[in-house]
Amino acid sequence: ILSKDMVLQRNTDCPIWGWADPDEAVTVEFAGQRRSTRADGSGKWMVRLKPLKASSTPRPLTVRGKNTLTLDGVLVGEVWLCSGQSNME
């Protein structure tokens, strides 16, 4: 779900999560926000970005711990999940 060229939902807290070494410090940076946390004993971590306004300008989302991961082309807007039957065109 978290990848380059993704869209984050506007006007709501946005969870960003992942896995790291147990007790590793992790920092997420996006759109002028910086959130930090520590991974739990099993290596899971999560931060919540404050609500963001819609933007048509792609920006990088960076996750830093022992390693650095940058997801390029991240937008903020409306996120819709749609599904249908196999006979829909």
Side-chain angles (χ1 to χ4, degrees):
I1 292 177
L2 302 177
S3 68
K4 68 178 190 131
D5 301 325
M6 69 178 168
V7 179
L8 300 176
Q9 179 63 46
R10 69 182 178 114
N11 299 334
T12 188
D13 287 349
C14 184
I16 305 293
W17 69 93
W19 296 267
D21 289 339
D23 201 42
E24 182 178 340
V26 177
T27 300
V28 175
E29 295 180 32
F30 181 70
Q33 293 189 44
R34 176 184 277 190
R35 298 285 177 262
S36 296
T37 190
R38 287 200 167 273
D40 66 15
S42 64
K44 295 178 185 177
W45 60 267
M46 182 173 71
V47 297
R48 290 189 180 273
L49 298 174
K50 291 182 180 179
L52 298 158
K53 293 185 179 191
S55 172
S56 61
T57 303
R59 293 177 273 189
L61 184 146
T62 302
V63 179
R64 286 190 177 88
K66 289 182 180 176
N67 301 305
T68 298
L69 173 67
T70 299
L71 304 175
D72 291 316
V74 179
L75 295 171
V76 178
E78 287 295 319
V79 177
W80 293 72
L81 298 177
C82 301
S83 67
Q85 297 179 345
S86 61
N87 63 350
M88 294 179 69
E89 292 189 28

